[in-house]
Amino acid sequence: MSNPGEEPGEARRGPSVAVVEVITAAVLFAVGAIVVYDSRRLGSGWTADGPQSGYFPFYIGLPLCVSAAAIAFRALSAGGGREIFVDGKQVRQILTVLLPAAVYVGLIHFLGIYVASALYITVFMNWLGRYSIARAILVGVGVGVLFFFTFEKWFAVPLPKGPIERMLGF
């Protein structure tokens, strides 16, 4: 059975599901182990006053480690399946969305969330959605202005602002 967009007879190449599951389990185990270790440092017991600072984190980190071990065990004992987790074409599709999103998050620091969001929406509508640049700018700026009034004026929730908002006195 082939995936959509895949040529018949074309061999898919990429990491197997088992390898990705073992890597994920290792990362989860490491996070859980750090939580357990630091919880023990803070005190993970129960005293006459009640739970110590690390009590609840300890009981979150411990099941995380056990779950990670179970994931790794299942992945390794499944017989080393050859099912491909993701191939090169799928990675490119993911990066098409992921890299601009990372740039957007970085731009929030310099431009503020409203201008960065307007740029992000405009670029995505024009680039991936193939909308005209005029329509993309109209929607991007409109959504940015709508969110500005929604959060800053009506909900009184201050979000990161950039030089344009400061220049306008907000």
Side-chain angles (χ1 to χ4, degrees):
M1 181 183 206
S2 64
N3 290 327
E6 183 180 321
E7 296 294 325
E10 182 179 327
R12 293 181 67 212
R13 298 174 60 179
S16 71
V17 172
V19 167
V20 173
E21 286 180 343
V22 168
I23 292 170
T24 302
V27 170
L28 287 176
F29 189 87
V31 170
I34 290 169
V35 169
V36 166
Y37 175 79
D38 206 43
S39 298
R40 298 287 298 163
R41 184 185 62 81
L42 294 173
S44 60
W46 194 279
T47 64
D49 298 339
Q52 293 178 310
S53 316
Y55 181 82
F56 291 112
F58 177 80
Y59 286 104
I60 292 172
L62 194 59
L64 191 60
C65 288
V66 172
S67 299
I71 290 169
F73 176 76
R74 195 191 79 196
L76 294 173
S77 65
R82 296 188 175 268
E83 184 181 353
I84 300 298
F85 177 71
V86 64
D87 62 22
K89 183 177 180 181
Q90 292 168 326
V91 169
R92 281 190 295 278
Q93 289 175 334
I94 292 168
L95 291 178
T96 300
V97 176
L98 183 64
L99 291 179
V103 170
Y104 162 68
V105 171
L107 284 177
I108 289 174
H109 179 72
F110 300 105
L111 300 176
I113 196 164
Y114 305 111
V115 173
S117 296
L119 284 173
Y120 184 70
I121 291 168
T122 301
V123 168
F124 256 76
M125 283 186 67
N126 184 256
W127 180 39
L128 293 179
R130 309 273 187 233
Y131 288 94
S132 70
I133 190 68
R135 180 178 287 185
I137 289 172
L138 184 67
V139 172
V141 171
V143 169
V145 170
L146 177 69
F147 282 171
F148 176 81
F149 283 105
T150 300
F151 288 104
E152 299 292 331
K153 298 297 178 187
W154 298 326
F155 292 158
V157 176
L159 293 177
K161 292 180 212 45
I164 292 179
E165 291 93 347
R166 281 193 292 275
M167 187 177 69
L168 295 173
F170 293 104

